[in-house]
């Protein structure tokens, strides 16, 4: 073994784990007792090695993640949307005093420098003069509804409209020209707000006929400072929120949760890997028993056939094993028969060899066959032949029953897909009819 210390770990495992693995391996491995112990140890060492390798890799990655978390700059970098786009929300975790909760910070799009605000107001005035007339030829002859926008494309501005005579033109731009009998000049007022500053723009239009103060908590103080940082850096594409503000602590919502999530994932993966080898052995054991049950009628039939030709029981078993070897397959039940043939060649008493068949293949038919073979040593082969003929008929009947059960199981498994197909067909047939009612 390449790593002897893994073998020592396998030897120190609790006895019930080794016994459970021994029983599983015995169900599909027909070797001797010494070979069985080596196979069990090999399986346990493979299981331990997989868990150790995964644990080492996981701990290295977890350590790297923790170091990155500890050594990284704890400041929080927030990126704004470009100027003129929508606001976005950043979820922060704040711990201030005894209160710990999340806070949703509204991050406005990139703003203006102080000297850029006046230029923005001028661009807004130019845009409004050009676009508020809507489908009218000009502001000197308004008959149709006007277009009064609430924001300027590509600018961080909000606009509120007012009218000197809402009965003629209201704040939404609706024109009631039927209320005038001669041209009337009214004034539309646009209150343009940008980063706390407001500018009043007026547009003459000719319509022709046709809280109380209270002491702030630590939580509110932190929130206020975060908002102030966002306000002071409004013209910057990115800004930084420190991880500590006064006595409060700030972090992104996802920080601090990933480590716990990864630890839980690592533990679950280690448990999965530990059980994977055990489940593999159990699966091989189940497969070996299923193959043995399926091959039993063929083995009885061949055994009866060879005995009819005058062969002895050891000769008949040898012939069965020889036929199996010619097919170049690996099947547990035939390997057990081959093992029994070798044991008889080495001079081991036939009673022990036949008993081993029932002990190794833990199925009732093989235990019954083992008992019949042992009885044949004292009672003779004539009675054995009669018993095997009866067993052959019974095995053939059970084989038919097994085939019937497998057919029923297959039809049951097909039931769910058939129901799904039926639902799809009904939907396709009913859709044209239902669409006519809409």
């Amino acid at each position: 073994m390449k790593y002897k210390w893994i073998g020592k770990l396998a030897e120190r495992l609790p006895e019930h784990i080794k016994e459970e693995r021994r029983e599983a391996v015995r169900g599909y491995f027909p070797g001797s007792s010494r070979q069985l112990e080596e196979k069990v140890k090999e399986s346990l060492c493979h299981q331990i090695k997989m868990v150790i390798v995964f644990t080492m890799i996981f701990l290295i990655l977890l350590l790297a993640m923790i170091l990155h978390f500890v050594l990284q700059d704890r400041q929080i970098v927030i990126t704004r949307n470009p100027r003129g786009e929508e606001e976005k929300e950043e979820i922060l975790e704040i711990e201030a005093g005894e209160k710990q909760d999340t806070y949703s910070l509204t991050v406005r799009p990139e703003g203006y420098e102080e000297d850029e605000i006046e230029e923005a107001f001028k661009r807004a005035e130019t845009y409004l003069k050009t676009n508020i007339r809507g489908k009218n030829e000009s502001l000197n002859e308004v008959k149709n509804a006007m277009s009064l926008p609430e924001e300027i494309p590509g600018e961080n501005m909000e606009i509120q409209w007012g009218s000197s005579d809402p009965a003629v033109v209201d704040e939404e731009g609706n024109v009631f020209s039927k209320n005038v009998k001669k041209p009337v000049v009214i004034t539309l007022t646009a209150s343009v707000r940008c980063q706390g500053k407001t500018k009043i723009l007026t547009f003459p239009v000719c319509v022709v006929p046709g809280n109380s103060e209270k002491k702030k908590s630590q939580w509110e103080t932190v929130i206020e400072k975060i908002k102030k940082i966002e306000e002071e850096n409004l013209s910057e594409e990115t800004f930084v929120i420190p991880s500590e503000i006064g006595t409060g602590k700030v972090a992104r919502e996802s920080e601090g949760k990933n480590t716990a999530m990864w630890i839980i994932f690592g533990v679950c993966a280690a448990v999965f890997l530990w059980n994977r080898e055990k489940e593999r052995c159990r699966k091989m054991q189940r497969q070996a028993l299923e193959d043995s049950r399926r091959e039993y009628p063929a083995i009885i039939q061949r055994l009866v056939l060879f005995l009819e030709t005058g062969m002895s029981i050891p000769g008949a078993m040898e012939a069965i094993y020889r036929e199996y070897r010619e097919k170049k397959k690996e099947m547990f039940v035939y390997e057990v028969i081959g093992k029994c043939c070798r044991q008889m060649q080495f001079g081991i008493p036939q009673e022990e060899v036949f008993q081993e068949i029932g002990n190794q293949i833990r199925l009732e038919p093989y235990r019954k066959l083992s008992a019949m073979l042992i009885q044949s040593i004292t009672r003779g082969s004539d009675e054995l032949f009669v018993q095997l003929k009866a067993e052959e008929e019974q095995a053939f009947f059970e084989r038919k029953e097994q085939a019937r059960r497998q057919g029923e199981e297959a039809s049951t498994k097909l039931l769910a897909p058939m129901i799904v197909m039926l639902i799809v067909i009904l939907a396709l047939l009913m859709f044209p009819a239902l669409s006519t009612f809409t």
Side-chain angles (χ1 to χ4, degrees), residues 280-344:
R280 185 186 70 86
C281 293
R282 289 179 175 175
K283 183 178 179 181
M284 294 178 67
Q285 181 187 19
R286 291 193 296 268
Q287 185 63 44
L289 291 176
E290 184 63 29
D291 293 340
S292 301
R293 182 181 289 107
R294 187 174 60 251
E295 291 295 320
Y296 181 72
I299 292 173
I300 293 295
Q301 183 183 16
R302 302 302 291 172
L303 189 58
V304 170
L305 179 62
F306 289 133
L307 290 177
E308 282 181 337
T309 62
M311 282 188 180
S312 63
I313 296 175
M317 295 179 65
E318 183 69 32
I320 293 173
Y321 180 68
R322 194 182 307 115
E323 287 184 352
Y324 156 72
R325 295 300 295 175
E326 291 176 356
K327 297 179 181 178
K328 296 181 179 180
K329 292 183 179 180
E330 289 191 9
M331 199 169 293
F332 173 67
V333 60
Y334 291 107
E335 292 294 338
V336 172
I337 293 175
K339 176 185 174 183
C340 292
C341 293
R342 291 189 295 270
Q343 287 177 337
M344 285 186 289

Coordinates of all heavy atoms in Angstrom, one line a residue, residues 280-344:
R280 N -21.5 2.2 -2.9 CA -21.0 1.5 -4.1 C -20.9 0.0 -3.8 O -21.3 -0.9 -4.6 CB -19.6 2.0 -4.5 CG -19.1 1.4 -5.8 CD -17.7 1.8 -6.1 NE -16.8 1.3 -5.1 CZ -16.2 0.1 -5.2 NH1 -16.4 -0.7 -6.3 NH2 -15.3 -0.4 -4.3
C281 N -20.4 -0.4 -2.6 CA -20.3 -1.8 -2.2 C -21.7 -2.4 -2.1 O -21.9 -3.5 -2.5 CB -19.6 -1.9 -0.9 SG -17.8 -1.4 -1.0
R282 N -22.6 -1.7 -1.5 CA -24.0 -2.2 -1.4 C -24.6 -2.4 -2.7 O -25.4 -3.4 -3.0 CB -24.8 -1.2 -0.5 CG -24.4 -1.2 1.0 CD -25.3 -0.2 1.7 NE -25.0 -0.3 3.1 CZ -25.6 0.5 4.0 NH1 -26.4 1.5 3.6 NH2 -25.3 0.4 5.3
K283 N -24.4 -1.5 -3.7 CA -24.9 -1.6 -5.0 C -24.4 -2.8 -5.7 O -25.1 -3.6 -6.4 CB -24.6 -0.3 -5.8 CG -25.2 -0.3 -7.2 CD -24.9 1.0 -7.9 CE -25.5 1.0 -9.3 NZ -25.2 2.2 -10.1
M284 N -23.1 -3.1 -5.6 CA -22.5 -4.3 -6.2 C -23.0 -5.5 -5.5 O -23.3 -6.6 -6.2 CB -21.0 -4.2 -6.0 CG -20.3 -3.1 -6.8 SD -18.5 -3.0 -6.6 CE -18.0 -4.5 -7.4
Q285 N -23.3 -5.5 -4.2 CA -23.9 -6.6 -3.5 C -25.3 -6.9 -4.1 O -25.7 -8.0 -4.4 CB -23.9 -6.4 -2.0 CG -24.5 -7.5 -1.2 CD -24.7 -7.2 0.2 OE1 -24.7 -6.0 0.6 NE2 -24.8 -8.2 1.1
R286 N -26.1 -5.8 -4.2 CA -27.5 -6.0 -4.7 C -27.4 -6.6 -6.2 O -28.3 -7.4 -6.5 CB -28.2 -4.7 -4.7 CG -28.6 -4.2 -3.3 CD -29.6 -3.1 -3.3 NE -29.0 -1.9 -4.0 CZ -28.4 -0.9 -3.3 NH1 -28.2 -1.0 -2.0 NH2 -27.9 0.1 -4.0
Q287 N -26.5 -6.1 -7.0 CA -26.4 -6.5 -8.3 C -26.0 -8.0 -8.4 O -26.5 -8.8 -9.2 CB -25.4 -5.7 -9.1 CG -25.3 -6.0 -10.6 CD -26.6 -5.7 -11.3 OE1 -27.2 -4.7 -11.1 NE2 -27.0 -6.6 -12.2
A288 N -25.1 -8.4 -7.5 CA -24.6 -9.8 -7.5 C -25.8 -10.7 -7.1 O -26.0 -11.8 -7.7 CB -23.5 -9.9 -6.5
L289 N -26.6 -10.3 -6.1 CA -27.7 -11.1 -5.7 C -28.8 -11.2 -6.8 O -29.4 -12.2 -7.0 CB -28.4 -10.5 -4.4 CG -27.5 -10.7 -3.1 CD1 -28.2 -10.0 -2.0 CD2 -27.2 -12.1 -2.8
E290 N -29.0 -10.1 -7.5 CA -30.0 -10.1 -8.6 C -29.5 -11.0 -9.7 O -30.3 -11.7 -10.3 CB -30.2 -8.6 -9.1 CG -31.2 -8.5 -10.2 CD -32.6 -8.8 -9.7 OE1 -32.9 -8.7 -8.5 OE2 -33.4 -9.3 -10.5
D291 N -28.2 -10.9 -10.1 CA -27.7 -11.8 -11.1 C -27.8 -13.3 -10.7 O -28.2 -14.1 -11.5 CB -26.3 -11.5 -11.4 CG -26.1 -10.1 -12.1 OD1 -27.1 -9.6 -12.6 OD2 -25.0 -9.5 -12.0
S292 N -27.5 -13.5 -9.4 CA -27.6 -14.9 -8.9 C -29.0 -15.4 -9.0 O -29.3 -16.6 -9.4 CB -27.1 -15.0 -7.5 OG -25.7 -14.5 -7.4
R293 N -30.0 -14.6 -8.6 CA -31.4 -15.0 -8.7 C -31.8 -15.3 -10.1 O -32.6 -16.2 -10.4 CB -32.3 -13.9 -8.0 CG -33.8 -14.3 -8.0 CD -34.6 -13.2 -7.4 NE -34.4 -13.1 -5.9 CZ -33.7 -12.1 -5.3 NH1 -33.1 -11.2 -6.1 NH2 -33.5 -12.1 -4.0
R294 N -31.4 -14.5 -11.0 CA -31.8 -14.6 -12.4 C -31.1 -15.9 -13.1 O -31.7 -16.5 -13.9 CB -31.4 -13.4 -13.2 CG -31.9 -13.3 -14.6 CD -31.6 -12.0 -15.3 NE -30.1 -11.8 -15.4 CZ -29.5 -10.8 -14.7 NH1 -30.2 -10.0 -13.9 NH2 -28.2 -10.6 -14.8
E295 N -29.9 -16.2 -12.6 CA -29.2 -17.3 -13.2 C -29.6 -18.7 -12.6 O -29.1 -19.7 -13.1 CB -27.7 -17.1 -13.1 CG -27.1 -16.0 -14.0 CD -27.3 -16.3 -15.4 OE1 -27.1 -17.4 -15.8 OE2 -27.6 -15.3 -16.2
Y296 N -30.3 -18.7 -11.5 CA -30.6 -19.9 -10.8 C -31.3 -21.0 -11.7 O -30.9 -22.1 -11.7 CB -31.4 -19.6 -9.5 CG -31.7 -20.8 -8.7 CD1 -30.7 -21.5 -8.0 CD2 -33.0 -21.4 -8.7 CE1 -31.0 -22.6 -7.2 CE2 -33.3 -22.5 -7.9 CZ -32.3 -23.1 -7.2 OH -32.6 -24.3 -6.5
P297 N -32.3 -20.6 -12.4 CA -33.0 -21.6 -13.3 C -32.0 -22.2 -14.3 O -32.1 -23.4 -14.5 CB -34.1 -20.9 -13.9 CG -34.4 -19.7 -13.0 CD -33.1 -19.3 -12.5
A298 N -31.2 -21.4 -14.9 CA -30.2 -21.9 -15.9 C -29.2 -22.9 -15.2 O -28.8 -23.9 -15.8 CB -29.5 -20.8 -16.5
I299 N -28.8 -22.6 -14.0 CA -27.8 -23.4 -13.3 C -28.4 -24.8 -13.0 O -27.8 -25.8 -13.2 CB -27.3 -22.7 -12.0 CG1 -26.4 -21.5 -12.4 CG2 -26.5 -23.7 -11.2 CD1 -26.0 -20.6 -11.2
I300 N -29.7 -24.8 -12.5 CA -30.4 -26.0 -12.2 C -30.6 -26.8 -13.4 O -30.4 -28.1 -13.5 CB -31.7 -25.7 -11.5 CG1 -31.5 -25.1 -10.1 CG2 -32.5 -27.0 -11.4 CD1 -30.8 -26.0 -9.1
Q301 N -30.9 -26.2 -14.5 CA -31.2 -26.9 -15.8 C -29.9 -27.5 -16.3 O -29.9 -28.7 -16.7 CB -31.7 -25.9 -16.8 CG -32.0 -26.5 -18.2 CD -32.5 -25.5 -19.2 OE1 -32.3 -24.3 -19.0 NE2 -33.1 -26.0 -20.3
R302 N -28.8 -26.8 -16.2 CA -27.5 -27.4 -16.7 C -27.0 -28.5 -15.8 O -26.5 -29.5 -16.2 CB -26.4 -26.3 -16.7 CG -26.7 -25.1 -17.6 CD -27.0 -25.5 -19.0 NE -25.8 -26.0 -19.7 CZ -25.8 -26.5 -20.9 NH1 -26.9 -26.7 -21.5 NH2 -24.6 -26.9 -21.4
L303 N -27.3 -28.3 -14.5 CA -26.9 -29.4 -13.5 C -27.6 -30.7 -13.8 O -27.1 -31.8 -13.7 CB -27.1 -28.9 -12.1 CG -26.6 -29.7 -10.9 CD1 -25.0 -29.8 -11.1 CD2 -26.9 -29.1 -9.6
V304 N -29.0 -30.6 -14.0 CA -29.8 -31.8 -14.3 C -29.3 -32.4 -15.6 O -29.2 -33.6 -15.7 CB -31.3 -31.4 -14.4 CG1 -32.1 -32.5 -15.0 CG2 -31.8 -31.0 -13.0
L305 N -29.0 -31.6 -16.6 CA -28.6 -32.1 -17.9 C -27.3 -32.9 -17.8 O -27.1 -34.0 -18.3 CB -28.4 -30.9 -18.9 CG -27.9 -31.3 -20.3 CD1 -28.9 -32.2 -21.0 CD2 -27.7 -30.0 -21.1
F306 N -26.3 -32.3 -17.1 CA -25.0 -33.0 -16.9 C -25.1 -34.3 -16.1 O -24.4 -35.3 -16.3 CB -24.0 -32.1 -16.3 CG -23.6 -31.0 -17.3 CD1 -23.5 -29.7 -16.9 CD2 -23.2 -31.3 -18.6 CE1 -23.1 -28.7 -17.7 CE2 -22.8 -30.3 -19.5 CZ -22.8 -29.0 -19.0
L307 N -26.0 -34.3 -15.1 CA -26.2 -35.5 -14.2 C -26.8 -36.6 -15.1 O -26.6 -37.8 -14.8 CB -27.0 -35.1 -13.0 CG -26.3 -34.3 -11.9 CD1 -27.3 -34.0 -10.8 CD2 -25.0 -34.9 -11.4
E308 N -27.7 -36.2 -16.0 CA -28.4 -37.2 -16.8 C -27.4 -37.9 -17.7 O -27.6 -39.1 -18.1 CB -29.4 -36.5 -17.7 CG -30.7 -36.2 -17.0 CD -31.8 -35.6 -17.9 OE1 -31.4 -35.0 -18.9 OE2 -33.0 -35.7 -17.6
T309 N -26.3 -37.2 -18.1 CA -25.3 -37.8 -18.9 C -24.3 -38.7 -18.1 O -23.4 -39.3 -18.7 CB -24.4 -36.8 -19.6 OG1 -23.8 -35.9 -18.7 CG2 -25.3 -35.9 -20.5
G310 N -24.5 -38.8 -16.8 CA -23.7 -39.7 -16.0 C -22.5 -39.0 -15.3 O -21.7 -39.6 -14.7
M311 N -22.5 -37.7 -15.4 CA -21.4 -37.0 -14.7 C -21.6 -37.0 -13.2 O -22.8 -37.0 -12.7 CB -21.4 -35.5 -15.2 CG -20.7 -35.3 -16.5 SD -20.5 -33.5 -16.8 CE -19.7 -33.5 -18.4
S312 N -20.5 -36.8 -12.5 CA -20.6 -36.7 -11.0 C -21.0 -35.2 -10.7 O -20.9 -34.3 -11.6 CB -19.3 -37.1 -10.3 OG -18.3 -36.2 -10.8
I313 N -21.3 -35.0 -9.5 CA -21.6 -33.6 -9.1 C -20.4 -32.7 -9.3 O -20.6 -31.6 -9.8 CB -22.2 -33.5 -7.6 CG1 -23.5 -34.3 -7.5 CG2 -22.3 -32.1 -7.2 CD1 -24.0 -34.4 -6.1
P314 N -19.2 -33.0 -8.8 CA -18.1 -32.1 -9.0 C -17.8 -31.9 -10.5 O -17.5 -30.8 -11.0 CB -16.9 -32.9 -8.4 CG -17.5 -33.7 -7.3 CD -18.8 -34.1 -7.9
G315 N -18.0 -33.0 -11.4 CA -17.8 -32.9 -12.8 C -18.8 -31.9 -13.4 O -18.5 -31.2 -14.3
A316 N -20.1 -32.1 -13.0 CA -21.1 -31.2 -13.5 C -20.9 -29.7 -13.2 O -21.0 -28.8 -14.0 CB -22.5 -31.6 -13.0
M317 N -20.4 -29.5 -11.9 CA -20.1 -28.1 -11.5 C -18.9 -27.6 -12.3 O -18.9 -26.4 -12.7 CB -19.8 -28.1 -10.0 CG -21.1 -28.4 -9.2 SD -20.7 -28.4 -7.4 CE -20.4 -26.6 -7.1
E318 N -17.9 -28.4 -12.6 CA -16.8 -28.0 -13.4 C -17.2 -27.7 -14.8 O -16.7 -26.7 -15.4 CB -15.8 -29.1 -13.4 CG -14.5 -28.8 -14.1 CD -13.7 -27.8 -13.4 OE1 -13.7 -27.7 -12.2 OE2 -13.0 -27.0 -14.1
A319 N -18.1 -28.5 -15.4 CA -18.6 -28.2 -16.7 C -19.4 -26.9 -16.8 O -19.3 -26.1 -17.7 CB -19.5 -29.3 -17.2
I320 N -20.2 -26.6 -15.7 CA -20.9 -25.3 -15.7 C -20.0 -24.2 -15.6 O -20.1 -23.1 -16.3 CB -21.9 -25.3 -14.5 CG1 -23.0 -26.4 -14.7 CG2 -22.5 -23.9 -14.3 CD1 -23.9 -26.6 -13.5
Y321 N -18.9 -24.3 -14.8 CA -18.0 -23.2 -14.7 C -17.2 -23.0 -16.0 O -16.9 -21.9 -16.4 CB -17.0 -23.5 -13.5 CG -16.0 -22.4 -13.3 CD1 -16.4 -21.2 -12.8 CD2 -14.7 -22.7 -13.5 CE1 -15.4 -20.2 -12.6 CE2 -13.7 -21.7 -13.3 CZ -14.1 -20.4 -12.9 OH -13.2 -19.4 -12.7
R322 N -16.9 -24.1 -16.7 CA -16.1 -24.0 -17.9 C -16.9 -23.3 -19.0 O -16.4 -22.5 -19.7 CB -15.8 -25.4 -18.4 CG -14.7 -25.5 -19.5 CD -14.4 -26.9 -19.9 NE -14.1 -27.7 -18.8 CZ -14.8 -28.8 -18.4 NH1 -15.9 -29.1 -19.1 NH2 -14.4 -29.5 -17.4
E323 N -18.2 -23.6 -19.1 CA -19.1 -22.9 -20.0 C -19.1 -21.4 -19.7 O -19.1 -20.5 -20.6 CB -20.5 -23.4 -20.0 CG -20.6 -24.8 -20.6 CD -22.1 -25.3 -20.6 OE1 -22.9 -24.6 -20.0 OE2 -22.4 -26.3 -21.2
Y324 N -19.2 -21.1 -18.4 CA -19.2 -19.6 -18.0 C -17.9 -18.9 -18.4 O -17.9 -17.8 -19.0 CB -19.4 -19.6 -16.5 CG -18.9 -18.3 -15.9 CD1 -19.5 -17.1 -16.1 CD2 -17.7 -18.3 -15.1 CE1 -19.0 -15.9 -15.5 CE2 -17.2 -17.2 -14.5 CZ -17.9 -16.0 -14.7 OH -17.4 -14.8 -14.1
R325 N -16.8 -19.6 -18.3 CA -15.5 -19.0 -18.6 C -15.4 -18.7 -20.1 O -14.7 -17.8 -20.6 CB -14.3 -19.9 -18.2 CG -14.2 -20.0 -16.7 CD -14.0 -18.7 -15.9 NE -12.7 -18.1 -16.3 CZ -12.3 -16.9 -15.9 NH1 -13.1 -16.2 -15.1 NH2 -11.2 -16.5 -16.2
E326 N -16.0 -19.6 -20.9 CA -16.0 -19.4 -22.4 C -16.7 -18.1 -22.8 O -16.4 -17.6 -23.8 CB -16.5 -20.6 -23.1 CG -15.7 -21.9 -22.9 CD -16.3 -23.1 -23.5 OE1 -17.5 -23.0 -24.0 OE2 -15.7 -24.2 -23.6
K327 N -17.7 -17.7 -22.0 CA -18.4 -16.5 -22.3 C -17.7 -15.2 -22.0 O -18.1 -14.1 -22.4 CB -19.8 -16.5 -21.6 CG -20.7 -17.7 -22.1 CD -22.0 -17.6 -21.3 CE -22.9 -18.8 -21.7 NZ -24.2 -18.8 -21.0
K328 N -16.6 -15.4 -21.2 CA -15.8 -14.2 -20.8 C -16.5 -13.1 -20.1 O -16.4 -11.9 -20.4 CB -15.0 -13.6 -22.1 CG -14.1 -14.6 -22.7 CD -13.4 -14.0 -23.9 CE -12.4 -15.0 -24.5 NZ -11.7 -14.5 -25.7
K329 N -17.4 -13.5 -19.2 CA -18.1 -12.6 -18.4 C -17.7 -12.8 -16.9 O -17.0 -13.7 -16.6 CB -19.6 -12.9 -18.5 CG -20.2 -12.6 -19.8 CD -21.7 -12.8 -19.7 CE -22.4 -12.5 -21.1 NZ -23.9 -12.7 -21.0
E330 N -18.0 -11.8 -16.1 CA -17.8 -11.9 -14.7 C -19.1 -11.8 -14.0 O -19.8 -10.8 -14.0 CB -16.8 -10.7 -14.2 CG -15.4 -10.9 -14.7 CD -14.5 -9.9 -14.0 OE1 -14.9 -9.3 -13.1 OE2 -13.3 -9.8 -14.5
M331 N -19.4 -12.9 -13.3 CA -20.7 -13.0 -12.6 C -20.4 -13.8 -11.3 O -19.8 -14.8 -11.2 CB -21.7 -13.7 -13.4 CG -23.2 -13.5 -12.9 SD -24.4 -14.1 -14.1 CE -24.1 -13.0 -15.5
F332 N -20.9 -13.2 -10.2 CA -20.6 -13.6 -8.8 C -20.9 -15.1 -8.6 O -20.1 -15.9 -8.1 CB -21.3 -12.7 -7.8 CG -21.2 -13.2 -6.4 CD1 -20.0 -13.2 -5.8 CD2 -22.3 -13.7 -5.7 CE1 -19.9 -13.6 -4.5 CE2 -22.2 -14.1 -4.4 CZ -21.0 -14.0 -3.8
V333 N -22.1 -15.5 -9.0 CA -22.6 -16.9 -8.8 C -21.7 -17.9 -9.4 O -21.3 -19.0 -8.8 CB -24.0 -17.1 -9.2 CG1 -24.2 -16.8 -10.7 CG2 -24.5 -18.4 -8.8
Y334 N -21.2 -17.6 -10.6 CA -20.3 -18.6 -11.3 C -18.9 -18.6 -10.7 O -18.2 -19.6 -10.7 CB -20.3 -18.3 -12.8 CG -21.6 -18.6 -13.5 CD1 -22.4 -17.5 -13.9 CD2 -22.0 -19.9 -13.7 CE1 -23.6 -17.8 -14.5 CE2 -23.2 -20.2 -14.4 CZ -24.0 -19.1 -14.8 OH -25.2 -19.4 -15.4
E335 N -18.5 -17.4 -10.2 CA -17.2 -17.3 -9.5 C -17.2 -18.2 -8.3 O -16.2 -18.8 -7.9 CB -16.8 -15.9 -9.2 CG -16.5 -15.0 -10.4 CD -15.3 -15.5 -11.2 OE1 -14.4 -16.2 -10.6 OE2 -15.2 -15.2 -12.4
V336 N -18.4 -18.2 -7.6 CA -18.5 -19.0 -6.4 C -18.4 -20.5 -6.8 O -17.8 -21.3 -6.1 CB -19.8 -18.7 -5.7 CG1 -20.1 -19.7 -4.5 CG2 -19.8 -17.3 -5.1
I337 N -19.1 -20.9 -7.9 CA -19.0 -22.3 -8.3 C -17.6 -22.6 -8.7 O -17.1 -23.7 -8.4 CB -19.9 -22.5 -9.6 CG1 -21.4 -22.3 -9.1 CG2 -19.7 -23.8 -10.2 CD1 -22.4 -22.4 -10.3
G338 N -16.9 -21.7 -9.4 CA -15.5 -22.0 -9.7 C -14.6 -22.1 -8.5 O -13.7 -23.0 -8.4
K339 N -14.9 -21.3 -7.4 CA -14.2 -21.4 -6.2 C -14.4 -22.8 -5.5 O -13.5 -23.4 -5.0 CB -14.6 -20.3 -5.3 CG -14.0 -20.4 -3.9 CD -14.6 -19.3 -3.0 CE -14.1 -19.4 -1.5 NZ -14.8 -18.4 -0.7
C340 N -15.6 -23.3 -5.6 CA -16.0 -24.6 -5.0 C -15.2 -25.7 -5.8 O -14.8 -26.7 -5.2 CB -17.5 -24.8 -5.1 SG -18.4 -23.7 -4.0
C341 N -15.2 -25.5 -7.1 CA -14.4 -26.6 -7.9 C -13.0 -26.6 -7.5 O -12.4 -27.7 -7.3 CB -14.6 -26.3 -9.4 SG -16.3 -26.4 -10.0
R342 N -12.3 -25.5 -7.3 CA -10.9 -25.5 -6.9 C -10.7 -26.0 -5.5 O -9.8 -26.7 -5.2 CB -10.4 -24.0 -7.0 CG -10.3 -23.5 -8.4 CD -9.6 -22.2 -8.4 NE -10.3 -21.1 -7.7 CZ -11.2 -20.3 -8.3 NH1 -11.5 -20.5 -9.6 NH2 -11.8 -19.4 -7.6
Q343 N -11.7 -25.7 -4.6 CA -11.6 -26.3 -3.3 C -11.7 -27.8 -3.3 O -10.9 -28.5 -2.5 CB -12.7 -25.7 -2.4 CG -12.4 -24.2 -2.0 CD -13.6 -23.6 -1.2 OE1 -14.7 -24.1 -1.3 NE2 -13.3 -22.6 -0.5
M344 N -12.6 -28.4 -4.1 CA -12.7 -29.8 -4.2 C -11.4 -30.4 -4.8 O -11.0 -31.5 -4.4 CB -13.9 -30.2 -5.0 CG -15.2 -30.0 -4.2 SD -16.7 -30.6 -5.0 CE -16.9 -29.4 -6.4

